[in-house]
């Protein structure tokens, strides 16, 4: 399990910026991010950093390895567009193209299945 400081430092490296640059962009005091080595950040500071990197606060706290932010419009991590593409890739038994109604029905079935898992 990594500390919040190590996670923020890693995110900075992946974006090719220094911790000092991040502090400047977020209008934080000089070397304030180094305080994450010793102390947990405030909820406000944590959210500010999470918003900058577009990651979840749980990811910054080391509670999950998934940096993605859970969204209300996802089902089991899939967006409606993802589910639509899955349904569009389905084929009929005789190989004929699916109608829009068929695709809608298949998308609904996939959604129901994923919600029940």
């Amino acid at each position: 399990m990594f500390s919040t400081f190590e996670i923020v430092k890693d995110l900075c490296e992946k974006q090719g910026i220094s911790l000092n640059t991040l502090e400047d962009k977020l209008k934080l005091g000089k070397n304030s991010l180094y305080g994450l080595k010793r102390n947990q950040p405030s909820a406000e500071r944590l959210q500010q950093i999470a918003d900058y990197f577009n990651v979840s606060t749980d990811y910054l706290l080391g509670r999950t390895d998934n940096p993605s932010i859970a969204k209300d419009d996802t089902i089991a991590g899939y967006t409606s567009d993802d589910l639509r593409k899955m349904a569009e890739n389905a084929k009929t038994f005789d190989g004929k193209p699916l109608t829009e109604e068929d695709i809608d029905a298949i998308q609904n079935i996939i959604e129901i299945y994923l919600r029940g898992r």
Side-chain angles (χ1 to χ4, degrees), residues 82-96:
D82 294 334
L83 298 177
R84 184 79 182 175
K85 287 175 187 169
M86 286 181 209
E88 287 171 351
N89 286 325
K91 303 283 186 216
T92 61
F93 180 73
D94 57 4
K96 293 179 184 174

Side-chain angles (χ1 to χ4, degrees), residues 60-80:
L60 290 179
L61 291 171
R63 293 180 180 169
T64 180
D65 292 333
N66 182 358
S68 298
I69 299 171
K71 297 179 181 171
D72 293 337
D73 63 343
T74 62
I75 301 165
Y78 296 103
T79 65
S80 292

Side-chain angles (χ1 to χ4, degrees), residues 40-52:
Q40 284 294 342
S42 67
E44 181 181 307
R45 175 69 40 86
L46 194 65
Q47 189 63 55
Q48 186 180 20
I49 296 168
D51 288 346
Y52 179 83

